[in-house]
Amino acid sequence: MHPSLLPDYQHLHSHAQRLLQCADALSHSVSKVEDSYWEHMAEQCIETLLLSDESSIIEQLFQYLNEHQLTEHLEIIASLLEGCSESISLEDAQGQRYDALLISIPITAWTRYSLPEGPMDSELTHALEQQLHQHVLAPKVRVALHPELLCFEDVPHNLHQARQLLESLAKQALGLHGKSTTKLPPRSQHPTLLADARFVLAVIAAPSGLPLFAWQQSKERALTKQVAILNTWQQHSQELFAGLFTGCQTEYWLPNAFHANNRVAEQHLRPLNLKATVTWLQTVAQVPKGQLTAILAACGQEQIEEYRIGFCVTDSDVVIHGCIWPLLDPDDQSDTLAQISELLKELDSGDVLLLPGLYEPEFCDDCETPYFPNPDAQLVHPEFPEQIDSDPPLLH
């Protein structure tokens, strides 16, 4: 066997070097026993990084992996980092060991009004916890909810913050009182969006070796059981959150692991954001159906990272609004364009213009508004008509 050499990595921090070596060994391991050994060694290194909040070391390592296109190593390390930041094993006061997982309960929504956020009342949090036990979780699972409805900007921004919240809520779930409670960073100020996601975060904990979720103990195929649970969850969530999301069109997604569910929400939010934008322009701005021109531009640094969609009234080059469609998988460019085009056709928006080339994803220096493409193949600041109030009215 002649293994390929790793590009020079001596400039990396010693923890990053060790993590890279473990990932390289994992990429060549051919047995479960050896896999377990290298994963354990990598997790020990990751524990040190997460507890010390050495995010710059992780960023440096990811930069190295991207520069040298070490895709397999990057996937291994990213998976291990996510796993360690959202799951731990700990003991309760009686010495019983539990496996704890940070989960996310995503809600995607769009509205002409403002979307709710912030603290939830105790009655709602209690009802939500009961719904989790009744429909989603396995028996003997303990739960601790974070009692706020959060935006993307307000959930943990990095692996260290996710791990801190996990540990705090896990101790709460197991009744380990007298421990310091870690709070999320102060909620940020962010623009009001037509379509956005909201999250409830929680930690669930089960005795080690026992299942966390109901679909783990079913004799049915796990995916079949998940679909059935999702249908039930959506039905009951519509009733549970009806008072908070008045005037909103909402979609409720299955509670599951924190990082994976962030991606689920982002995936479902893309078409919802486009639909909300077109519908809003047709209703609030009173642009007749079929009288919009949608201009699509691929944006990114070295490869396509997102599509920016600027909207003009037909026969005008003034961009009155826009939305961003993140490209979650660079290999799905053609599928993404087909999906966008089909959705615009369904919405009867009007003409669609695709610009050639790759554009720098620019923002306004003053207000940080993204620039969107116009028919002249330029990214420009959107200029909404002055006679139309672009701020959604407050309903909640």
Side-chain angles (χ1 to χ4, degrees):
M1 180 175 66
H2 299 285
S4 57
L5 295 176
L6 286 171
D8 178 55
Y9 57 90
Q10 299 305 314
H11 63 287
L12 297 176
H13 189 279
S14 58
H15 290 316
Q17 291 185 29
R18 184 55 182 152
L19 191 52
L20 176 62
Q21 291 167 351
C22 291
D24 187 58
L26 268 168
S27 71
H28 294 98
S29 171
V30 294
S31 70
K32 181 179 179 180
V33 173
E34 187 181 353
D35 285 352
S36 297
Y37 173 82
W38 291 119
E39 286 174 1
H40 177 68
M41 297 299 292
E43 287 168 358
Q44 286 185 320
C45 184
I46 289 171
E47 287 290 314
T48 303
L49 292 173
L50 291 180
L51 295 176
S52 59
D53 191 18
E54 294 289 356
S55 55
S56 60
I57 296 175
I58 297 173
E59 291 171 3
Q60 182 191 37
L61 177 56
F62 277 6
Q63 183 179 356
Y64 166 87
L65 295 169
N66 281 315
E67 285 178 356
H68 297 287
Q69 299 181 345
L70 297 172
T71 305
E72 185 178 2
H73 295 68
L74 190 150
E75 290 176 352
I76 290 171
I77 292 173
S79 177
L80 290 169
L81 283 166
E82 286 190 359
C84 289
S85 69
E86 69 184 14
S87 61
I88 55 171
S89 177
L90 72 169
E91 291 183 356
D92 67 5
Q94 288 72 45
Q96 169 69 57
R97 182 154 290 276
Y98 280 77
D99 296 324
L101 176 68
L102 178 64
I103 67 168
S104 165
I105 305 171
I107 305 165
T108 51
W110 72 279
T111 182
R112 288 177 55 185
Y113 305 98
S114 60
L115 290 170
E117 58 184 275
M120 300 181 294
D121 61 49
S122 57
E123 184 177 345
L124 176 57
T125 55
H126 178 72
L128 182 57
E129 185 175 331
Q130 291 299 109
Q131 185 169 306
L132 281 168
H133 281 297
Q134 186 174 354
H135 302 297
V136 178
L137 302 178
K140 300 185 179 181
V141 174
R142 301 190 187 185
V143 180
L145 286 170
H146 182 75
E148 288 189 78
L149 199 58
L150 303 171
C151 310
F152 265 118
E153 293 84 355
D154 301 323
V155 300
H157 296 163
N158 57 47
L159 299 168
H160 174 68
Q161 290 177 2
R163 178 56 180 264
Q164 282 189 310
L165 182 63
L166 164 66
E167 291 186 0
S168 174
L169 289 177
K171 291 172 183 176
Q172 183 180 326
L174 298 183
L176 299 175
H177 301 293
K179 306 290 184 179
S180 59
T181 300
T182 303
K183 296 182 179 179
L184 288 172
R187 294 173 58 246
S188 59
Q189 295 295 321
H190 46 77
T192 302
L193 303 174
L194 297 172
D196 204 358
R198 294 292 183 264
F199 303 90
V200 179
L201 303 185
V203 162
I204 57 176
S208 293
L210 295 183
L212 284 165
F213 297 103
W215 58 80
Q216 291 178 268
Q217 56 180 9
S218 172
K219 294 182 179 180
E220 298 179 69
R221 182 187 176 201
L223 184 59
T224 303
K225 185 64 174 178
Q226 279 185 330
V227 172
I229 293 174
L230 174 59
N231 292 334
T232 303
W233 177 261
Q234 290 175 330
Q235 176 186 343
H236 288 276
S237 294
Q238 288 284 0
E239 301 169 2
L240 190 62
F241 286 97
L244 271 183
F245 287 91
T246 304
C248 305
Q249 294 197 25
T250 52
E251 295 175 321
Y252 299 89
W253 305 104
L254 198 62
N256 214 327
F258 173 72
H259 292 291
N261 258 9
N262 282 354
R263 290 188 284 270
V264 167
E266 189 171 24
Q267 180 180 2
H268 289 289
L269 194 58
R270 295 179 303 171
L272 200 62
N273 189 30
L274 184 57
K275 180 179 180 180
T277 299
V278 173
T279 304
W280 189 66
L281 288 172
Q282 292 171 341
T283 53
V284 176
Q286 298 182 339
V287 179
K289 288 190 175 183
Q291 294 301 306
L292 284 170
T293 298
I295 305 98
L296 280 64
C299 295
Q301 299 296 335
E302 297 180 358
Q303 61 180 5
I304 301 177
E305 299 168 3
E306 63 189 27
Y307 284 98
R308 294 199 179 180
I309 307 165
F311 290 95
C312 303
V313 177
T314 301
D315 298 329
S316 169
D317 60 358
V318 177
V319 176
I320 60 173
H321 213 290
C323 67
I324 296 176
W325 187 294
L327 195 63
L328 304 181
D329 186 347
D331 295 330
D332 291 340
Q333 294 176 24
S334 58
D335 292 342
T336 298
L337 285 174
Q339 188 178 359
I340 294 173
S341 298
E342 183 62 30
L343 184 53
L344 288 170
K345 183 179 179 181
E346 290 177 9
L347 295 168
D348 195 12
S349 63
D351 296 332
V352 179
L353 175 63
L354 175 62
L355 302 180
L358 184 66
Y359 290 76
E360 186 83 14
E362 298 177 358
F363 294 81
C364 176
D365 292 334
D366 296 326
C367 65
E368 298 184 355
T369 296
Y371 284 3
F372 294 100
N374 67 8
D376 297 326
Q378 297 176 325
L379 295 188
V380 298
H381 197 298
E383 300 178 23
F384 201 75
E386 293 182 2
Q387 66 271 24
I388 302 295
D389 183 5
S390 62
D391 292 325
L394 185 64
L395 186 63
H396 306 282

Short mmCIF file of all heavy atoms in Angstrom, two decimals, residues 73 116 136 187 301 328 357:
data_model
loop_
_atom_site.label_atom_id
_atom_site.label_comp_id
_atom_site.label_asym_id
_atom_site.label_seq_id
_atom_site.Cartn_x
_atom_site.Cartn_y
_atom_site.Cartn_z
N HIS A 73 -11.58 14.14 4.27
CA HIS A 73 -11.14 14.53 5.60
C HIS A 73 -12.06 15.60 6.19
O HIS A 73 -12.39 15.57 7.38
CB HIS A 73 -9.70 15.06 5.55
CG HIS A 73 -8.70 14.03 5.14
ND1 HIS A 73 -8.64 13.49 3.87
CD2 HIS A 73 -7.68 13.45 5.84
CE1 HIS A 73 -7.65 12.63 3.80
NE2 HIS A 73 -7.04 12.58 4.99
N PRO A 116 -43.57 35.97 14.81
CA PRO A 116 -43.33 36.04 16.25
C PRO A 116 -41.94 35.56 16.62
O PRO A 116 -41.32 34.77 15.91
CB PRO A 116 -44.40 35.10 16.81
CG PRO A 116 -44.63 34.11 15.73
CD PRO A 116 -44.49 34.88 14.44
N VAL A 136 -43.25 11.91 19.74
CA VAL A 136 -41.92 11.87 19.12
C VAL A 136 -40.91 11.03 19.89
O VAL A 136 -40.09 10.32 19.29
CB VAL A 136 -41.37 13.31 18.94
CG1 VAL A 136 -39.97 13.29 18.35
CG2 VAL A 136 -42.31 14.14 18.07
N ARG A 187 -30.16 38.17 22.17
CA ARG A 187 -30.82 38.07 20.88
C ARG A 187 -30.47 39.27 20.03
O ARG A 187 -30.47 40.40 20.48
CB ARG A 187 -32.33 37.95 21.07
CG ARG A 187 -32.72 36.65 21.76
CD ARG A 187 -34.19 36.55 22.11
NE ARG A 187 -35.00 36.70 20.92
CZ ARG A 187 -35.82 37.73 20.73
NH1 ARG A 187 -35.91 38.68 21.61
NH2 ARG A 187 -36.54 37.80 19.63
N GLN A 301 -17.58 33.11 -4.43
CA GLN A 301 -16.18 33.53 -4.53
C GLN A 301 -15.48 32.81 -5.68
O GLN A 301 -15.08 33.42 -6.65
CB GLN A 301 -15.47 33.27 -3.20
CG GLN A 301 -16.07 34.02 -2.02
CD GLN A 301 -15.96 35.53 -2.14
OE1 GLN A 301 -15.07 36.04 -2.82
NE2 GLN A 301 -16.87 36.23 -1.48
N LEU A 328 -27.13 24.64 -1.37
CA LEU A 328 -26.65 23.77 -0.31
C LEU A 328 -25.73 22.69 -0.82
O LEU A 328 -24.88 22.18 -0.09
CB LEU A 328 -27.84 23.15 0.43
CG LEU A 328 -28.86 24.16 1.01
CD1 LEU A 328 -29.97 23.42 1.73
CD2 LEU A 328 -28.17 25.14 1.95
N GLY A 357 -22.21 33.74 -16.13
CA GLY A 357 -21.05 34.09 -15.32
C GLY A 357 -21.29 33.97 -13.83
O GLY A 357 -22.36 33.58 -13.37
#
